[in-house]
Amino acid sequence: MFILETKPKEELEKLLKPGVCVIKCIGCREISLPEEKIEELLKNLELDAKDVLAVDYLCNADFTKSRLLKYKSEIDKCNSILVFSCGVGLQVLAGMLEEKSAVQGLNTIYISGRGLAPSDYDCDQCGECLLNLTGGICPVTQCSKGLLNGPCGGAKNGKCEISKDLDCAWEKIYKKLEASGRLDSYFRKMKVRDYSKALAKPKQPV
Amino acid sequence: MVEIKKTGLKPKEEIIELLEGKNKIFVIACNKCYKEYTDETNEELDQFLKLMQENGKNVVGTARIDFLCNGQTAGKKISEFKNMDEAETICVVSCGIGAQTTMATLDGKPVYTVSDSLSIADNATTPQAYHGICIFGQKCAACGQCYLNFTGGICPIVECSKSLINGPCGGAKNGKCEISKEHDCAWEKIYERLSKQNRVQDFIFLQVNVNDFSKPTVEQTNALIKAVRDKRDENFYGGLHPYSNKDSTTDLPITAFPEPETVAILLSQHTGRICEPLVKAGEKVKYGQKIGEAGAPVSAPVHSSVSGEVIAVEPLLHPALKKEVPAIIIKSDGKNTPHESIVPNDPEKLPAEKLLEIIREKGIVGLGGAMFPTHIKLKPPKPVDILMINGCECEPYLTADERVIIERTEKVFSGIHIIAKILQVKKVYFAVEDHSQKAIAKIRDYIMQNPMEEDLSLVELKTKYPQGAERMLIKKITGREVPRGGLPFEVGVVVSNVGTCAAVSDAVREGMPLVKRVITVAGENIGKPGNYEVKIGTSVKDIIAYCSGSLSGFDFISYVLKMGGPMMGVQQQTLDVPVIKGTSGIVVFKKADIEQDIARQCIQCGRCVDVCPMELSPLHFIFCAKQEKWENTAAYNVKDCIECGCCDYICPSKLPIVEIVKKAKQKIK
Amino acid sequence: MKLTELIKKKNFVVTSEIGPPKGWQVEHHLDEAKKYFAGIVDAVNVTDNQSSVMRFGSLATCHMLKDRGMEPVFQVTCRDRNRLALQSDILSAAGLGIENLLLLTGDHPKLGDHPGSKPVFDLDSVSLTHAVRQMESGVDLAGNKLDGDPPKFCKGAVVSPCAEPLEPQLMKMEKKINAGTEFFQTQAVYEPEKFARFMEKIKGWNVPVLVGIVILKSVGMAKFMNENVAGVFVPDPLIEELRKDKEKTKSGQTGVEIAARLIKEMKSMCQGVHIMPLGWDQHVPAILDAAGL
Ligand code: SF4
Ligand code: SF4
Ligand code: SF4
Ligand code: SF4
Ligand code: SF4
Ligand code: SF4
C-alpha cells in the first residue's frame, strides 16, 4: 500500500524540456492521488491542466499499450512526458517508450500493509508471522525499530521515542498479552529475524 | 499477469507446537487478493484442514471471507458465523493484515495465525514492495523519493539487489546480479535505457544520491493516511468521488424544449401494472388528458403531454425496461389546449385522503429514477416520523434538480408542505451536497423568509457518490439502517426527490398532471447543453438533433448514450425512445473514452468491495456469470445491489459488473 | 577484570562513563578520564554514538582506556550495525582484551544528527546478548564454528526502574537474563522509593544491578528530562533544591550533593552505582567522597 505526494517544482523544472505531455494515472485517485496538489504543481510549472491525459491503471500493461496508441500523436510530438502515477505506473510506461524520457512527478510513499485502502493494520510480509506471540499486534511494522524481543527503553507516557504521534507498540503488546493471560507466549522464544525469508528471493517470472 | 503468492502456511512443526493441547478449532480463511479469480479453492486452507485431520484435531467450523483486511465487511461477516461460540481456538489463514483484523475483531478469543506473509520484493535492503493494482512485472518499494527520473524509469530500489542509487556495484557477471543467475543486473538495464535516451552524461554529472530514510516522517504519513481514510469513510461505507463534470450546465437556467411534433407516451412509466390505453387511434386528445390507466393499486395513470390526435397505439422500445411496451403516439396540434380536468385546488382546505387521490390521479411518480408511484409511498403501512427531501444530485453531469431548487424554490417547498401534511410528519430534512452551494443558499434564504409549519433542517453533505441513494442518506442523517431488501418506511422515513415535490405542488395547486419534466442534456458532441423542460414522450432523437445541431454527427459506433446519469443511467442502442417520467438526463460519451472493450480477468483486487455501498462482494457475480451459474448470485445477495455502478467505475479490469447484475436479477427472478 | 568478578570481590562497584568526541583527537578526553576516574572508579563505560550522534568509535576508545590502565565497558548498540558488523566488532574487542560489554538496542537515528540514515536494528539487545553467548560457546549466531578459543565476556544490559509502566521493562529484563545478561545498569534514578520497589520485584532473579546516577546540572535540565527522557523523573523537591541557590547549582555543588545523597540512600539495595556525568567528569570524585565510597 502506498500514498503519493508531489515532487518539488525545482526538481522537475530541470528535467522537463519544452513541449511537455502530461499523463495522469487516475486509477488510484479514490485512494492515493493528490489531485489538488498536482493541479497546483502544474500551475507552477506553467502547464495547462486542461491538456492532461487522464488514464487509469497505468500499471496495467495491456491498458497502457492501448492508451499509448490512442494518444500516439500527442506523445510523438512531445519532448518530455511528465507522469503522475506511482512508481509502478511509470515503470510500465517507460518500458514501452524506451526512447522518450518519462519524468516522474510524484513520490511514492510506503505505508506498509496490503489492504486495499489504508487500514489500521500493517504487515511488512516478514515471512515468519509473529502475531501469535504478540497478541495480534505486529511488532515488525508497529514498533519503530521493528524490535521482536520486547520494548527498548525509549517510550515515554506510552509514546514511542521517535514521535508523540505514535503509541509504543510494545506497551500495547504487553497490555494485550496481560489482558488475555498470554504473557508466557512471549517468553517462549527469543526471536532473531530471518531476513532471508523476506529478502533477495529469486525474481518472480513476468 | 503475474501470480503472486502472498501467504504460505507456517511450517508444520510450528503449527503443531502452536496448537498443542488445543482443540475445537474454528478456521477463518481469507479468500485472498491479487490473484486471478479463476476458481474458489483456497490451497492453504485445504492444506491446513488436512494437517488438522492428520493430527486428530477437531475442526468445528470453517469460514471463508473476502478481503479479511476490510474491517467493515469482514468484521460483520465474522460476527455472523455460526459454530463460533462452540470453538475454543480460532485459526486464521491470511496475510498479517487479515490476521490482525481478526484478532482485533475477536478481542476476547484466542486467535492464532497459521500462515506467514511473504514478501514480494526481490532485493536485499527493502523487504517491502507492492505491485501496482494490476499485477504485471513491475514493483515499487515506495521509497518516498522516486529515482526513476535518473534511471530511465527502471526502479533501482527494487530491481537492484542492494538498492544502489549511484550506479552498479562490481558484482554483475554476464548481465546477472551477484546474488542470483535469475536476476538481471538492474544497473546494466538502467545503463542501456539511459544510453538509448542519450542521458548517460546527465547521470554522471548528477549530484551524489543519498537516501533520506527520515522522509516522510511518521507524522506526515499518518496525516496522509488519515486524510484518505476520512475521505473513504465520509458519510457512509463505500462509494466514490467521480469527476462531477457539471460545469457545462450548472449555470444554465431551465428552458422549455421546443414543442415536439409528436410524442410517444409509454403505458408503463412507473413501478407496477402497465396501464390500459383509454384512447384509440384517430381520437382527439387535450393537453393533460388522462390517456392510460391500470386498475391495480400499485400503478399510476399517464396523460397526454400535448393536444392533438392519437395516431397509433403500438409497441415501442422502453428506454429503461429494454423491451417493447405499448405506447400512445400523439400528433401535436401545437396548441396545448388544456383538458377540463386541470383545475386548481387549495391544499390547505383538503384532507389528506383527497390530496393523495389528486396525486394518484395526476400520475405522480418518483422523479429520481425509480418511478415508484408517489401516492403509494405517501401511504406507508406504518406511520413514519421523518420526511427526507433528497436534493443530492450525486450523479456527474446532472444539474436538473439543482436548477429546480434554484428556480422553483417555492414550488418545491409547497410540495414539501403538502407531503408533510399527508404523512403527518413534523420533522423534515432537506439534504443537499456541498457542490451545489447556490442551491444551498437559495434554500437557506427561502427558509428565512418563509417560516414553515414543519421543523425543517437543511443538511449540507460532503459530496460523495451515491449519496442520493435512500439508504445512504437515511443512515447518514438519522443513523437508522434500512434492513437489507427493506424500504425506508420500515425505519420511519419517507424520502422524496425535489423534482417530485415540485410535481406534487403542480398537481395539487394547479391540477397539472405529470406531463413534463426537467432533464439535463450534456456530454460529448452536445453543442447546446442545458437543463430543458421537456414534454414526456418527446423522442430522444429530437433532443439529440436539437442539442447537437444535427443528427449527422451522432452514431452508436463512436458514441455511447445514456438516459439518466453516467453512473446509473441506462445505455441506449437507438435514438427512437421517448423521454419518460423517470428520465433525469441524457448524456453522451465518446466510446473510446470509456473503453468498454478491454475487460480482463478479475484479479481479486478488492476495490469493488471497498466501494460497494451495499457492502456486497461484486467480484463473485463475475465468477458466477462466467460459469453460467446464475443461481449462485443469490447467495451473494445480488438482489440487494442498487446498481449504483461504483464497482464498474473502479474495477481495474474493467469488468461490466452492473450489466451482469442486471442479467442475474432477471435470471433468478 | 570482569565486572561480575569485581562485584563478587568488592560487594559494591562504582562505574562511570565517557562519551567520545565528535572528532579524532581524543587525547585530551583520555587525560581527563585518567585524572578523574583512574583508581577512583572500578570501570568506565564508553558510549556508542550516544543519542544517535555520530562520534569517535567506542571500541577504539575502550582500547585506549585499557592502555592507560582503566577497565573499559564497551557499549554496543544495534542501531547502526547489522549482525555481521556487531559480531565482528565483538570479536575485535576480545582481541583487544576488553572483557565487559554493555549490550543495548540504541536510540532511533531519527533522534540524532543524521535523521536521514537507515535504521538498522537487525538485532536488538536480547538477540545481541544471545549472539554473544553463542560466540562464547564457540559458534557465531548462524551456528558457524569460530576458530580457536571462544571469547569470554561479562555481558551487561540496561533497564529503566522508574519507567511507567514498569511491567514491559521487567518482561524484557527477564528475557535478557534468559539470553545471558549478567549484570544491569539502570537509567538515571531520582526516586529511591521506586527503585526499592523495583529491586523488590526482581529479588528472585539474583542478578547484580548498578543504579544509574545522572548529575543534575540545572533546573532546565531536570525539566527537560521530565518532559523528554524516557523512564526518568526528577521529583519537585529536587528541582526546588536546584532552584534555591543558583550559584551553588551552577558550580555543580548542588548536583554533587543530590547525587551523593541518592547513592547513600540506595547503596544498600543494589550491587553498585553507575555515574553518568555527561561532561562533568570533574565532579565524580567529589560525589564518591560525599557518598562515602
Ligand atoms: S509479524 Fe510479519 S507477517 Fe506478521 S503481520 Fe507483522 S510483518 Fe506481517
Ligand atoms: S518506544 Fe516502543 S515502539 Fe518505539 S522503538 Fe521503542 S519499543 Fe518500539
Ligand atoms: S491483504 Fe487482505 S485480502 Fe489480501 S490476503 Fe491480506 S487480508 Fe486477505
Ligand atoms: S525509486 Fe523505485 S521504490 Fe522509489 S518510488 Fe520510484 S519506483 Fe518506487
Ligand atoms: S452496482 Fe451493486 S454491486 Fe456494484 S457497487 Fe453498486 S451496489 Fe455494489
Ligand atoms: S474490482 Fe474488478 S478486478 Fe477487482 S476484485 Fe472487483 S471485479 Fe475483480
Side-chain angles (χ1 to χ4, degrees), chain A residues 1-5 7 11-12 14-15 17 24 26-33 35 54-57 59-63 66-67 70-71 86-88 90-92 94-132 135-138 141-142 144 162-166 176 180 182 188-189 193 195 197-206, chain B residues 2-7 10 14 17-18 33-34 67 69 95-97 99-101 103-104 107 110-134 136-150 152-155 159 179-180 182-183 193 196-197 199 216 218-219 221-222 224-225 228-229 231-232 239-243 592-593 595 598 600 605-607 610 649-654:
Chain A
M1 188 76 249
F2 62 94
I3 214 151
L4 300 164
E5 135 197 288
K7 279 187 177 284
E11 187 179 331
L12 299 176
K14 277 185 264 166
L15 295 158
K17 298 186 206 91
K24 175 168 81 166
I26 56 171
C28 292
R29 63 179 284 271
E30 278 299 324
I31 296 179
S32 38
L33 193 71
E35 290 199 281
V55 301
D56 56 359
Y57 304 112
C59 53
N60 185 324
D62 295 350
F63 293 0
S66 80
R67 267 66 168 273
K70 182 168 151 193
Y71 296 123
C86 77
V88 176
L90 187 134
Q91 289 179 63
V92 172
M96 291 178 187
L97 293 171
E98 292 217 45
E99 334 268 283
K100 287 257 176 202
S101 115
V103 176
Q104 173 61 284
L106 298 173
N107 281 329
T108 308
I109 298 169
Y110 188 64
I111 54 172
S112 174
R114 295 174 309 165
L116 305 155
S119 75
D120 290 343
Y121 306 110
D122 285 346
C123 167
D124 250 350
Q125 301 110 279
C126 71
E128 39 184 351
C129 195
L130 300 151
L131 295 176
N132 294 332
I137 296 166
C138 170
T141 53
Q142 299 222 16
S144 305
I162 75 156
S163 165
K164 294 213 166 73
D165 272 14
L166 266 184
K176 185 71 198 280
S180 53
R182 285 160 71 189
R188 282 237 299 267
K189 280 192 191 93
R193 246 189 99 169
Y195 279 94
K197 291 205 168 134
L199 300 167
K201 292 187 308 286
K203 225 176 147 52
Q204 310 210 10
V206 177
Chain B
V2 183
E3 267 294 317
I4 283 176
K5 194 162 165 62
K6 296 141 299 223
T7 49
K10 280 181 176 290
E14 192 180 334
E17 192 194 325
L18 184 70
C33 53
Y34 294 118
F67 310 110
C69 51
C95 82
I97 306 181
Q100 289 177 66
T101 312
M103 291 181 185
D107 211 13
V111 182
Y112 298 94
T113 171
V114 291
S115 30
D116 287 329
S117 301
L118 307 174
S119 162
I120 63 159
D122 315 303
N123 102 0
T125 66
T126 320
Q128 71 279 36
Y130 73 96
H131 46 56
I133 198 86
C134 295
F136 278 76
Q138 288 78 3
K139 284 164 207 155
C140 166
C143 67
Q145 40 217 313
C146 198
Y147 293 106
L148 296 178
N149 291 342
F150 312 111
I154 294 169
C155 174
E159 299 273 305
I179 71 155
S180 159
E182 305 283 306
H183 194 141
R193 175 86 51 92
K196 263 188 210 159
Q197 298 178 6
R199 288 168 68 203
V218 218
E219 292 84 352
T221 319
N222 283 351
L224 287 170
I225 295 174
V228 173
R229 211 45 271 175
K231 194 172 158 205
R232 295 287 319 126
L240 29 80
H241 305 77
Y243 292 119
D593 285 347
E595 297 165 318
I598 46 177
R600 295 172 79 240
C605 70
R607 292 226 155 163
D610 188 45
Y649 182 93
I650 203 87
C651 177
S653 285
K654 309 260 176 222

Side-chain angles (χ1 to χ4, degrees), chain A residues 7-16 41 44-45, chain B residues 150:
Chain A
K7 279 187 177 284
K9 169 181 167 239
E10 298 69 38
E11 187 179 331
L12 299 176
E13 264 170 348
K14 277 185 264 166
L15 295 158
L16 294 169
L41 177 66
N44 289 338
L45 287 168
Chain B
F150 312 111

Side-chain angles (χ1 to χ4, degrees), chain B residues 431-539:
Chain B
V432 187
E433 289 194 324
D434 61 0
H435 63 79
S436 329
Q437 282 305 325
K438 281 169 296 193
I440 290 168
K442 195 71 201 231
I443 298 168
R444 205 169 272 139
D445 284 357
Y446 188 87
I447 310 177
M448 292 269 276
Q449 285 156 20
N450 306 277
M452 300 192 48
E453 256 174 63
E454 294 82 17
D455 166 16
L456 185 137
S457 326
L458 172 63
V459 189
E460 191 179 328
L461 294 170
K462 276 211 151 47
T463 300
K464 187 181 183 192
Y465 180 85
Q467 192 109 251
E470 296 177 337
R471 294 176 67 91
M472 316 306 143
L473 268 189
I474 295 171
K475 176 87 195 286
K476 169 66 191 167
I477 296 176
T478 67
R480 301 176 190 176
E481 204 153 336
V482 182
R484 269 187 194 272
L487 287 169
F489 77 80
E490 292 173 42
V491 293
V493 184
V494 161
V495 184
S496 178
N497 157 279
V498 284
T500 316
C501 293
V504 164
S505 168
D506 281 350
V508 174
R509 289 189 180 271
E510 294 163 22
M512 199 61 197
L514 183 46
V515 289
K516 53 189 180 184
R517 66 157 299 155
V518 182
I519 68 169
T520 302
V521 184
E524 288 295 331
N525 201 31
I526 299 289
K528 273 186 271 178
N531 299 297
Y532 296 102
E533 184 161 49
V534 282
K535 293 277 178 76
I536 303 293
T538 306
S539 165

